Amino acid sequence: MTQYNQFCPIAKATEILGEKWTILIVREILLGSTRFNELQRGLGDISPALLTNRLKMLEGKGMIARRRISGQRGYEYFPTEACKALLPVIISLGEWALLWARHTILDSDFDVEFLMFCLERSIDPSKLIGGETVIKFRFTDLAEQPNWWLLVQNGKAQVCLKDPGKDVNVYFDGSVRTMHDVWMGDRTYKDAMKSGDLSIQGDPALTRNVQSWLTPAHYVNAKRAPIPAM
């Protein structure tokens, strides 16, 4: 672990949080990821060995608590009070980035797997109709794997890479960038649809009020600089 040998509280905080991936691991745990595979999905390119090391470090520093999953070999990870106290710090860091770091966004940052993971945990099943809802996304800018599904059953949403073989209730057609923009709050659904960049079809009871059941990002109302043109 990096040590700065300073009594400055910022230095001491950075000794815990400053290593690569650590802030993002804290982000995922604060957003509700508790299992190792969930954390990996939210983090993308991190290796299992590095994630294991970072989790051990955070546990040793009193930031997370590890609990064995009943009847299974794995563990779940939960935020301690010290970790929970970081939530406004994490949110403020994101708000700062929306104003001052958006020029660093690259085409490669618009990752469909991460976007779908975000959309999966943004679903509010209580606002959907019936016990099962199928939502299909067709990303018009992807040559490989353009079709993705969200299957909502028993109060839980799950990303599907293959057709679940069920009737689709809502269809989204547009680019990864467009879906990112409307979910993040850079554009409204109305604007994206009017311009032809996004099509939403299906059950009128759901297509009329998308934001009630597909909740927007935490930063939907935050001030921001525009994303640079690609």
Side-chain angles (χ1 to χ4, degrees):
M1 295 298 297
T2 300
Q3 291 187 319
Y4 296 104
N5 299 314
Q6 292 186 350
F7 60 76
C8 169
I10 296 173
K12 303 314 292 182
T14 306
E15 287 178 359
I16 298 174
L17 302 171
E19 296 285 351
K20 186 177 180 180
W21 295 108
T22 304
I23 284 283
L24 297 186
I25 293 170
V26 169
R27 178 200 70 189
E28 290 305 306
I29 289 175
L30 289 174
L31 288 176
S33 293
T34 60
R35 301 195 177 191
F36 197 89
N37 64 334
E38 291 176 326
L39 292 166
Q40 282 193 303
R41 287 184 65 202
L43 296 167
D45 293 335
I46 192 171
S47 71
L50 182 55
L51 177 55
T52 297
N53 288 337
R54 291 289 187 269
L55 290 171
K56 287 181 178 178
M57 182 277 294
L58 288 169
E59 183 181 11
K61 294 293 185 180
M63 299 295 294
I64 62 175
R66 183 179 61 159
R67 297 290 182 268
R68 185 177 292 278
I69 302 170
S70 178
Q72 301 183 36
R73 296 180 59 186
Y75 294 89
E76 290 184 303
Y77 302 89
F78 300 95
T80 63
E81 290 303 311
C83 186
K84 292 176 183 177
L86 280 171
L87 181 58
V89 178
I90 299 294
I91 292 174
S92 294
L93 187 62
E95 291 173 341
W96 175 87
L98 285 174
L99 284 171
W100 302 106
R102 299 198 98 194
H103 63 283
T104 66
I105 292 178
L106 305 173
D107 282 342
S108 59
D109 292 328
F110 293 97
D111 176 54
V112 66
E113 291 187 37
F114 183 60
L115 174 62
M116 288 303 301
F117 181 61
C118 292
L119 297 178
E120 176 188 274
R121 62 184 175 192
S122 296
I123 294 288
D124 183 352
S126 68
K127 299 296 177 61
L128 294 171
I129 299 170
E132 180 179 274
T133 302
V134 179
I135 306 146
K136 181 178 179 181
F137 296 83
R138 186 176 72 89
F139 293 106
T140 55
D141 55 331
L142 298 183
E144 297 183 9
Q145 193 66 50
N147 298 312
W148 297 69
W149 292 262
L150 281 176
L151 175 61
V152 188
Q153 289 178 315
N154 303 316
K156 186 175 181 180
Q158 177 183 359
V159 170
C160 298
L161 298 178
K162 296 182 179 180
D163 189 341
K166 300 174 181 290
D167 291 339
V168 175
N169 302 105
V170 181
Y171 295 84
F172 287 82
D173 279 71
S175 67
V176 174
R177 169 71 179 270
T178 297
M179 198 64 215
H180 160 275
D181 289 354
V182 295
W183 180 70
M184 279 289 293
D186 293 304
R187 301 177 68 180
T188 64
Y189 283 98
K190 182 178 180 180
D191 168 70
M193 294 173 69
K194 185 177 180 179
S195 67
D197 292 334
L198 180 67
S199 170
I200 304 177
Q201 298 181 1
D203 186 341
L206 298 177
T207 59
R208 282 196 296 261
N209 60 344
V210 173
Q211 285 190 308
S212 69
W213 54 267
L214 181 57
T215 58
H218 290 276
Y219 300 104
V220 65
N221 295 316
K223 295 180 181 179
R224 65 194 67 203
I227 298 179
M230 299 301 176

